[in-house]
Amino acid sequence: MLEVTNLHARLNDGREILRGIDLSVKAGEVHAIMGPNGSGKSTLAAVLAGREGYEVSEGSVSYLGRDLLVMPADERAREGLFLAFQYPIEIPGVNNMYFLRTALNAQRRHRGEPELDAGQFLRIVRARLKLLDIGEDLLQRAVNVGFSGGEKKRNEILQMAMLEPRLAILDETDSGLDIDALKLVARGVNEQRSPERAIVVITHYQRLLDYVEPDRVHVLQRGRIIQSGDKALAVELERRGYGAAEEAA
Amino acid sequence: MSASSETLQTLRSLARESYKYGFITEIDAEAAPPGLTEDTVRFISAKKEEPAWLLEWRLAAFRAWCGMAQPDWAKLQLTPIDYQAATYYSAPRQSAGPKSIDEVDPELLRTYEKLGIPLREREILAGVAVDAVFDSISVATTFKEQLGELGIIFCSMGEAVREHPELVRKYLGTVVPQNDNFFAALNSAVFSDGSFAYVPPGVRCPMELSTYFRINAAKTGQFERTLLIADAGAYVSYLEGCTAPQRDENQLHAAVVELIAHEDAQVKYSTVQNWYPGDAEGRGGIYNFVTKRGACRGARSKISWTQVETGSAITWKYPSCVLEGDHSVGEFYSVAITNNRQQADTGTKMIHIGSDTRSTIVSKGISAGRGQNTYRGLVRVQPRARGARNHTQCDSLLIGERCGAHTVPYIEVRNPSARVEHEATASRISEEQLFYCRQRGLTTEDAISLIVNGFCREVLKELPMEFAVEAQKLLAVSLEGSVG
């Protein structure tokens, strides 16, 4: 589904952040990308999602057989690539439910499916809310405005559950969450696991991986994946720290 | 090509076709010779077969105007206007006034259909009565009979002068006097038509009253005059829409609107102004100099202005409320967008005279391109206005680096018990917001439109339903080409 080959990317100021990433994610898999602060985790997520401000200087990314890097960000989204933001953005005055329906309908239009009216949408979103144990009041507020940290993350998970992406990238969705919120996020991710869908979980800590079991774990350090393995690698990292991983590499 | 430059190109191509009301209707028109003298005023008055008092009233205005200078205090840059080069009266040539819709020139009806304003009653959305003003003349008023059964008068100003002279004479110029300001004096001298409505005591007008203004003829100013009166305990909601053809020269629009609310009466006045804004380089477009004022004459009366200003090259407009009655309420909700080279200097005046009067001002200014957007507002509390309260909220949104937003609040309080609050914010549409929306599948244009609509929400929710949908679309169109 996703083939990242020798990906180099730098900031507009010239600093190189990604220095040759290789990553292969197949449908049905859950990958965890771990690494210390500043290792390039969020940059990788941003480049894959098409955020401006980065220049890809080398390498390629193929997504569902297409060149991902030439697609504008919104087209990537409509092709099923979803990014759960580390810091979800506030949009004052825009009703959260309206936002979600607008997004879903933009994607449905793209796929040639009929748009959902308010009633149809409400039925679906209510079912998801129940499944994720999220209160309905979240829908009636302006997008992320005045949301607590936990609410923002829950809202990202709700968006993912509604948009049903082919490839979901979660950028430190677990950071700053208490244990209950963490479990809720984990539930959202596990609920999304399916043979057609790939999920990439980017995280600093191992603790989310207590609840979401990854098929592959990668260690990102200074813009490169220096080690890959199964879930045992995550446990080892937690025990020995990222420094040991670097030495081993 | 980066995503933003690509977006810019898409938007530019859209912007070229964005003003879809720019067509010209070929119609035989009868016009006054260009220029403005007492003879022009007499010509217009004679054309309209007006009574002597009204001619005198116009002449008084004309003389006042001759002694006045065009105001220059607004933050607007405009080419000098040659008042002697403009034409002050242009009317589609038809044998007398149309008695019914079937007598209206089919070419005119087609024009309004193109504008999405069908005048034939059977085709009209239920619940909206329309008066359509084409250049200087009202061409049709719909639903007149149904309204008449309730004692509601809704007709063109010209017809009101003929059929209800006592009402016109009683109220005309009592809110905006002939010599109020330069543009109001000009309008008072040469006003051609406009709408008139009177809602009798205790009657709640069952449908939205609406006027649609259209400038068609070249080099012609439009000077309509609207007068709405809600008698004691009455309620009326009124909508105003405007468009003009796309022309390279600037055209002048100087309207006057007067609202009167008696005891316990409510008037809600909504405008969606979409006059031709000029092209991306600032060529052409309407110069929109409008005086709108409402008088809350009676106790507990309420006047509410809602405006969505997206068009015009220049907007100079301050819909105001004079709160004379005790416990009367004035409201002003405004969205003003300036894109490309558009300039707007707009706001309101809330004059608190009676005790326990309240006013609310919510102004949302959006600047894009090289647009300049100024909020100018006055809150004045007179000595007798015990317990007066005002809340003003004034937000500016900037899109791009070359536009400007300015806030000029004037606050004058002469009663110590008054409470006046002013809040102002300025912000930008951030790259983060755009990326967040696009990451969920929205195109850049849809994302901007969503964010701007969110920004304007408090104002848009004040609009009547059918208008709100129109206004949302208009906001999106007005901002095309704004991201670079």
Side-chain angles (χ1 to χ4, degrees), chain B residues 254-306:
Chain B
V256 170
V257 175
E258 296 179 280
L259 311 182
I260 291 140
H262 287 293
E263 201 170 275
D264 295 304
Q266 279 190 38
V267 181
K268 184 173 169 59
Y269 193 104
S270 312
T271 304
V272 174
Q273 185 263 108
N274 185 27
W275 296 118
Y276 177 56
D279 67 13
E281 304 309 318
R283 278 186 300 263
I286 299 292
Y287 280 180
N288 191 33
F289 294 99
V290 173
T291 305
K292 292 185 169 177
R293 197 174 302 153
C296 283
R297 293 261 157 93
R300 296 167 304 279
S301 56
K302 178 176 174 183
I303 288 179
S304 182
W305 298 99
T306 305

Side-chain angles (χ1 to χ4, degrees), chain B residues 132-406:
Chain B
V133 176
F134 190 87
D135 288 340
S136 303
I137 281 285
S138 175
V139 289
T141 308
T142 60
F143 284 112
K144 203 187 292 185
E145 279 169 31
Q146 269 165 275
L147 292 167
E149 283 165 22
L150 291 163
I152 297 170
I153 302 167
F154 180 45
C155 60
S156 73
M157 185 61 98
E159 188 179 336
V161 169
R162 286 192 302 275
E163 308 288 329
H164 309 282
E166 70 299 339
L167 282 174
V168 176
R169 199 169 182 179
K170 181 174 172 189
Y171 290 106
L172 186 74
T174 60
V175 187
V176 180
Q178 291 124 296
N179 60 355
D180 185 81
N181 68 69
F182 181 84
F183 295 109
L186 177 63
N187 173 285
S188 301
V190 301
F191 78 86
S192 36
D193 219 329
S195 296
F196 175 87
Y198 171 81
V199 185
V203 172
R204 188 181 169 88
C205 185
M207 58 180 80
E208 309 279 352
L209 300 185
S210 172
T211 301
Y212 202 83
F213 294 106
R214 170 83 181 159
I215 297 178
N216 187 63
K219 296 192 174 67
T220 298
Q222 178 151 329
F223 305 94
E224 81 271 6
R225 186 143 193 135
T226 296
L227 179 56
L228 306 183
I229 302 133
D231 217 324
Y235 169 86
V236 62
S237 170
Y238 184 90
L239 318 176
E240 177 198 273
C242 354
T243 59
Q246 205 157 334
R247 296 184 190 278
D248 284 343
E249 76 268 24
N250 296 110
Q251 282 184 285
L252 182 61
H253 173 249
V256 170
V257 175
E258 296 179 280
L259 311 182
I260 291 140
H262 287 293
E263 201 170 275
D264 295 304
Q266 279 190 38
V267 181
K268 184 173 169 59
Y269 193 104
S270 312
T271 304
V272 174
Q273 185 263 108
N274 185 27
W275 296 118
Y276 177 56
D279 67 13
E281 304 309 318
R283 278 186 300 263
I286 299 292
Y287 280 180
N288 191 33
F289 294 99
V290 173
T291 305
K292 292 185 169 177
R293 197 174 302 153
C296 283
R297 293 261 157 93
R300 296 167 304 279
S301 56
K302 178 176 174 183
I303 288 179
S304 182
W305 298 99
T306 305
Q307 60 173 21
V308 175
E309 302 284 318
T310 64
S312 297
I314 298 273
T315 297
W316 179 98
K317 181 179 171 191
Y318 314 90
S320 302
C321 298
V322 182
L323 304 171
E324 298 166 24
D326 293 345
H327 297 275
S328 61
V329 176
E331 294 174 338
F332 174 74
Y333 298 97
S334 169
V335 169
I337 292 192
T338 52
N339 193 6
N340 296 322
R341 303 264 181 170
Q342 281 177 277
Q343 305 173 63
D345 192 300
T346 183
T348 183
K349 289 190 273 187
M350 293 291 174
I351 313 295
H352 293 256
I353 297 172
S355 65
D356 299 300
T357 45
R358 279 185 291 134
S359 62
T360 303
I361 299 171
V362 180
S363 162
K364 304 278 181 179
I366 297 145
S367 318
R370 291 170 185 267
Q372 292 293 329
N373 207 320
T374 303
Y375 167 80
R376 188 181 302 277
L378 168 68
V379 176
R380 176 184 291 156
V381 178
Q382 303 281 55
R384 205 173 65 74
R386 276 187 322 278
R389 277 185 289 153
N390 163 266
H391 182 81
T392 299
Q393 192 193 325
C394 197
D395 299 321
S396 305
L397 187 67
L398 298 153
I399 305 173
E401 306 294 329
R402 296 176 301 180
C403 54
H406 317 275

Side-chain angles (χ1 to χ4, degrees), chain A residues 97 100-101 104 116-125 162:
Chain A
M97 179 146 67
L100 201 44
R101 184 157 67 91
L104 181 57
L116 299 177
D117 65 29
Q120 294 167 321
F121 178 83
L122 192 62
R123 273 195 296 282
I124 299 173
V125 79
M162 288 303 295

Side-chain angles (χ1 to χ4, degrees), chain A residues 31-104:
Chain A
H31 286 230
I33 296 179
M34 303 182 67
N37 290 330
S39 58
K41 301 191 298 292
S42 287
T43 298
L44 177 60
V47 169
L48 292 177
R51 182 177 203 134
E52 288 176 40
Y54 301 92
E55 190 199 337
V56 172
S57 48
E58 219 184 315
S60 64
V61 180
S62 139
Y63 168 65
L64 297 171
R66 293 178 59 189
D67 182 354
L68 182 73
L69 298 176
V70 299
M71 293 158 69
D74 46 323
E75 192 185 337
R76 296 181 199 196
R78 291 193 295 273
E79 287 291 334
L81 189 153
F82 177 90
L83 172 65
F85 281 55
Q86 184 177 3
Y87 303 108
I89 309 299
E90 300 184 0
I91 311 178
V94 176
N95 176 277
N96 202 28
M97 179 146 67
Y98 180 77
F99 177 71
L100 201 44
R101 184 157 67 91
T102 304
L104 181 57

